[in-house]
Amino acid sequence: MDGTVARNEQEDRVLLEPIKVRSLREHVHEELRQAIISGRLRTGLKLNERQLASELGTSTSPLKEALRQLEAEGLVRTEPRRGSFVTFSERQAEEMTLARAALESIIARQAAKHASEEAFDQLRSVIEEMRLVVEAGSINELIGLNERFHDAVHEASGCDYLRRLQNAQRTYNHAARKTVLSREDVRRASFLEHEAIMKAIVTRNEDEAERLMREHILLAGKTHIELVF
Amino acid sequence: MDGTVARNEQEDRVLLEPIKVRSLREHVHEELRQAIISGRLRTGLKLNERQLASELGTSTSPLKEALRQLEAEGLVRTEPRRGSFVTFSERQAEEMTLARAALESIIARQAAKHASEEAFDQLRSVIEEMRLVVEAGSINELIGLNERFHDAVHEASGCDYLRRLQNAQRTYNHAARKTVLSREDVRRASFLEHEAIMKAIVTRNEDEAERLMREHILLAGKTHIELVF
DNA sequence: TGTCAATATCTGATGTATCAGATTTCAGAG
DNA sequence: CTCTGAAATCTGATACATCAGATATTGACA
């Protein structure tokens, strides 16, 4: 009996995504993050809580919580009794790339070390999809696959905490991908890099997986910064 | 005229530390972080906002903001309309070490690459103090020097964003140091590692600085987890 | 006895009032 | 004209009230 129930639950998971409530705070957080990374809110700008709250149509409570998250993510600096200020610059974008390279490459190593066969299959199948889309698909599809690939590596690594650290950068990564993958030569090169990373992981070559992932991220970061700044 | 004013302001900075106000929120944040890392608040525990607020003698507002920070740091998981839960385990401690190793080693590389001569002097002088204290000083002094060393590396790297990411882990690092440095053999070995890192940085040997820092952190992390869990 | 639904209650989410530190303004003394 | 300091004002910090979703309880019905 128990087995059946568990089975059913698992099958439901495939059909029904767990309901996720997005609180007002999360929306505010996302909105501000986007605005900072895209440059709508310039570095150094003072964020007036009341003004922002009224612009976004909320009260200051969710806004303050969102500011604390941004602060922990390093996009905002807060001085008590003085206010919060936007902190984002070319320099910081560079450092975000370094951080991402450092973390993703460690995650890739863990994936090569610990991943299950099912996780390997996931990786392989994403790469196969990519192979097709890189030739004939839209850029948005490719961006989606790109994110699925990195998610699959994360999943394979089993590193929940590291994943969460990475997640803080998700918006920036997304913005970077969008810019970088707009170039055809980058799309092709990027695919080959992904493929090589996948191969290193499924052959459990930890050193290689780490090294390739790191180079992949650093290269993408460099390209992005060149294109944007 | 302008020049003179700027000059004066800069000189003031040397004499007077800027006053830092610690808001209630920061106290709450620090308190909760400490409690989670030390194990007083167990993994999985549901954090009742009102109860915690009244225990700490505050209202729920600063508490909620502190929870958002902890969430971004990965010590707390929040499900909308359900509540916040403590997330900290041996597995997570391991991953925190991995993250720290990844970030600190990148910072060490940047330090070797970019640091000024003054920054080198700072590093050398900390190491010289350590050399004395490791033989004849108290453990607390050594912990202090340890932190000053890593701060000096951070300072030398010029990586503000990466520093801030690291800072989120500061409390955990402190706790780990306290445990690890309680052993004499570790104190001696650790000093030699620090010295080697310093030498790699001041000779601008980037690869070596990165590698040594990484090994240093991973070793310390392993020791800590063995001693605690 | 087990199921289900109505209800009570708990608790996070949000809004708003108020407090207090920081900044700005401006008048008066030197 | 410059400097000082008091008052006005701005704005972040905090407390508290209220709303609404989630959970627990209970009692009726099959």
Side-chain angles (χ1 to χ4, degrees):
Chain A
M1 184 93 170
D2 250 342
T4 319
V5 173
R7 180 83 196 270
N8 279 337
E9 274 173 5
Q10 232 176 10
E11 281 176 357
D12 284 351
R13 283 268 171 97
V14 182
L15 300 174
L16 300 172
E17 279 295 302
I19 295 169
K20 21 182 170 176
V21 184
R22 306 259 309 169
S23 64
L24 206 40
R25 157 177 71 78
E26 283 176 281
H27 278 114
V28 172
H29 178 209
E30 202 61 44
E31 188 67 24
L32 288 178
R33 185 152 68 169
Q34 191 73 50
I36 292 172
I37 286 172
S38 71
R40 267 181 291 148
L41 297 175
R42 304 267 171 81
T43 297
L45 186 69
K46 175 164 179 185
L47 299 174
N48 181 317
E49 295 188 353
R50 284 171 197 184
Q51 186 191 331
L52 273 183
S54 83
E55 276 181 34
L56 292 167
T58 75
S59 79
T60 58
S61 306
L63 186 91
K64 286 173 80 64
E65 291 181 54
L67 285 177
R68 295 298 88 75
Q69 294 185 288
L70 292 167
E71 191 184 354
E73 285 168 23
L75 293 176
V76 154
R77 181 174 41 83
T78 298
E79 296 179 32
R81 297 277 173 194
R82 297 239 168 79
S84 298
F85 305 84
V86 175
T87 306
F88 191 68
S89 58
E90 176 172 353
R91 172 73 192 146
Q92 178 155 348
E94 283 171 18
E95 287 186 39
M96 284 177 92
T97 299
L98 288 177
R100 190 176 165 225
L103 294 175
E104 289 279 18
S105 59
I106 287 269
I107 292 173
R109 171 180 283 275
Q110 298 298 311
K113 197 171 184 177
H114 298 302
S116 66
E117 287 301 324
E118 295 83 60
F120 284 169
D121 287 340
Q122 279 294 320
L123 285 174
R124 288 194 196 95
S125 88
V126 175
I127 290 289
E128 287 319 310
E129 282 189 61
M130 261 187 188
R131 188 191 307 282
L132 300 177
V133 171
V134 114
E135 292 302 328
S138 73
I139 294 185
N140 279 337
E141 275 180 281
L142 196 57
I143 293 176
L145 279 171
N146 210 305
E147 284 170 6
R148 268 183 55 204
F149 176 75
H150 286 282
D151 279 347
V153 176
H154 291 175
E155 182 70 35
S157 74
C159 296
D160 291 346
Y161 175 75
L162 294 175
R163 286 175 81 167
R164 233 176 324 153
L165 276 190
Q166 265 314 110
N167 251 0
Q169 295 202 350
R170 176 163 239 124
T171 306
Y172 176 69
N173 296 342
H174 184 80
R177 278 198 186 97
K178 230 163 126 177
T179 320
V180 167
L181 290 177
S182 66
R183 293 185 36 171
E184 165 143 25
D185 53 336
V186 173
R187 287 201 291 279
R188 288 174 191 281
S190 177
F191 168 70
L192 293 177
E193 288 164 29
H194 284 134
E195 189 182 28
I197 292 168
M198 178 274 282
K199 282 184 180 162
I201 291 175
V202 302
T203 55
R204 300 210 184 273
N205 188 336
E206 294 177 32
D207 290 338
E208 191 74 352
E210 175 175 343
R211 191 181 64 76
L212 289 173
M213 179 63 90
R214 176 164 170 169
E215 283 172 12
H216 167 64
I217 307 277
L218 288 178
L219 187 60
K222 209 175 133 203
T223 311
H224 176 234
I225 285 171
E226 273 169 16
L227 288 176
V228 170
F229 290 96
Chain B
M1 186 89 171
D2 250 342
T4 321
V5 173
R7 180 85 197 268
N8 279 337
E9 273 172 6
Q10 232 178 10
E11 280 177 0
D12 284 353
R13 285 266 170 97
V14 182
L15 299 172
L16 300 172
E17 278 295 303
I19 295 168
K20 19 183 173 175
V21 184
R22 306 260 308 169
S23 64
L24 206 41
R25 157 178 70 80
E26 283 177 282
H27 278 114
V28 171
H29 178 210
E30 201 61 44
E31 188 67 24
L32 287 179
R33 183 153 70 169
Q34 192 73 51
I36 292 171
I37 285 171
S38 70
R40 266 180 291 148
L41 297 175
R42 304 269 172 80
T43 296
L45 187 68
K46 173 164 179 187
L47 300 174
N48 180 316
E49 296 188 353
R50 285 173 195 181
Q51 186 191 330
L52 274 182
S54 85
E55 277 181 33
L56 292 166
T58 74
S59 79
T60 57
S61 305
L63 185 91
K64 285 172 82 64
E65 292 182 54
L67 284 177
R68 295 297 87 75
Q69 294 186 288
L70 292 167
E71 190 184 355
E73 285 168 24
L75 293 176
V76 154
R77 181 173 42 82
T78 298
E79 295 179 33
R81 299 276 173 193
R82 297 241 169 77
S84 298
F85 305 83
V86 176
T87 306
F88 193 69
S89 58
E90 176 172 354
R91 172 73 191 146
Q92 178 154 350
E94 282 171 18
E95 288 187 38
M96 285 177 91
T97 299
L98 288 177
R100 190 177 164 223
L103 294 174
E104 288 279 17
S105 59
I106 286 269
I107 292 173
R109 171 181 282 275
Q110 298 298 311
K113 197 172 184 176
H114 297 303
S116 65
E117 288 302 323
E118 296 81 60
F120 285 171
D121 287 341
Q122 279 294 321
L123 285 174
R124 289 194 196 96
S125 88
V126 175
I127 291 289
E128 286 318 309
E129 281 189 63
M130 261 187 186
R131 189 190 306 282
L132 301 175
V133 170
V134 106
E135 292 302 328
S138 73
I139 294 184
N140 278 337
E141 275 180 281
L142 196 56
I143 292 176
L145 280 171
N146 210 306
E147 285 171 5
R148 268 185 54 204
F149 176 75
H150 285 282
D151 279 346
V153 176
H154 291 175
E155 181 71 35
S157 74
C159 297
D160 290 346
Y161 175 76
L162 293 175
R163 286 175 81 169
R164 235 176 322 153
L165 276 190
Q166 263 315 103
N167 250 2
Q169 295 201 349
R170 175 163 238 124
T171 307
Y172 175 69
N173 295 342
H174 184 81
R177 280 199 185 96
K178 230 164 128 177
T179 321
V180 167
L181 290 176
S182 66
R183 292 186 36 173
E184 165 143 24
D185 53 337
V186 173
R187 287 201 291 278
R188 287 174 191 280
S190 177
F191 167 70
L192 294 176
E193 288 164 29
H194 283 133
E195 190 182 27
I197 291 168
M198 179 274 283
K199 282 183 179 163
I201 291 176
V202 301
T203 55
R204 301 210 183 274
N205 188 334
E206 294 177 33
D207 289 338
E208 191 75 353
E210 175 175 343
R211 191 181 63 77
L212 288 173
M213 180 63 90
R214 176 165 170 167
E215 283 172 12
H216 168 63
I217 307 278
L218 288 177
L219 188 60
K222 208 175 133 204
T223 310
H224 176 232
I225 286 170
E226 273 170 15
L227 288 175
V228 169
F229 290 97

